[in-house]
């Protein structure tokens, strides 16, 4: 199992993510996860900062595997706030390769 760790800050996006965290039980141990929308938006921000296509491939995989669980309206709200339209378009196209 692999996990990314995000440190909570004091901005509204981090607050939203903490309020919407997802609880799961892994091998009998309760674990809390960031909502998938948060992870997707953060990967877009990381792609903008570093340019690694790995983030785009990760997002494309998440969209393919978890499509029914993702609230696109939430993602688009944060994309608008952070002006990630170009990165979002690239991520959606990454799954077509």
């Amino acid at each position: 199992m692999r996990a990314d760790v995000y440190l909570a800050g004091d901005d509204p996006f981090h607050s939203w993510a903490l309020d919407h965290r997802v609880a799961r039980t892994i091998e009998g141990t309760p674990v809390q996860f960031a909502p998938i929308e948060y992870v997707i938006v953060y990967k877009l921000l990381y792609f903008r900062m570093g340019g690694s296509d790995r983030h785009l491939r990760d997002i494309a995989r998440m969209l393919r595997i978890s499509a029914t669980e993702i609230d696109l309206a939430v993602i688009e709200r944060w994309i608008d706030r952070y002006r990630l339209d170009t990165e979002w378009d690239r991520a959606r196209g990454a799954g077509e390769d």
Side-chain angles (χ1 to χ4, degrees):
M1 181 179 280
R2 192 181 94 186
D4 293 331
V5 176
Y6 301 96
L7 301 177
D10 60 357
D11 70 32
F13 189 44
H14 296 300
S15 296
W16 177 87
L18 285 171
D19 289 343
H20 292 86
R21 61 191 177 266
V22 178
R24 299 273 193 266
T25 301
I26 308 293
E27 296 180 1
T29 302
V31 180
Q32 294 185 12
F33 296 93
I36 194 166
E37 297 85 359
Y38 179 83
V39 176
I40 288 170
V41 172
Y42 244 86
K43 285 190 168 288
L44 291 171
L45 288 166
Y46 285 139
F47 172 71
R48 177 193 282 168
M49 289 186 284
S52 172
D53 285 345
R54 178 181 58 90
H55 298 298
L56 300 182
R57 290 190 304 272
D58 288 350
I59 292 168
R61 212 171 302 119
M62 286 186 272
L63 291 171
R64 188 174 57 253
I65 293 169
S66 302
T68 60
E69 299 172 33
I70 297 171
D71 187 337
L72 291 175
V74 168
I75 291 175
E76 289 171 3
R77 183 176 76 226
W78 294 108
I79 284 171
D80 287 344
R81 183 177 186 129
Y82 292 119
R83 298 180 179 146
L84 292 164
D85 299 83
T86 302
E87 293 83 359
W88 179 231
D89 290 344
R90 294 250 339 246
R92 289 183 292 177
E96 298 170 4
D97 296 338

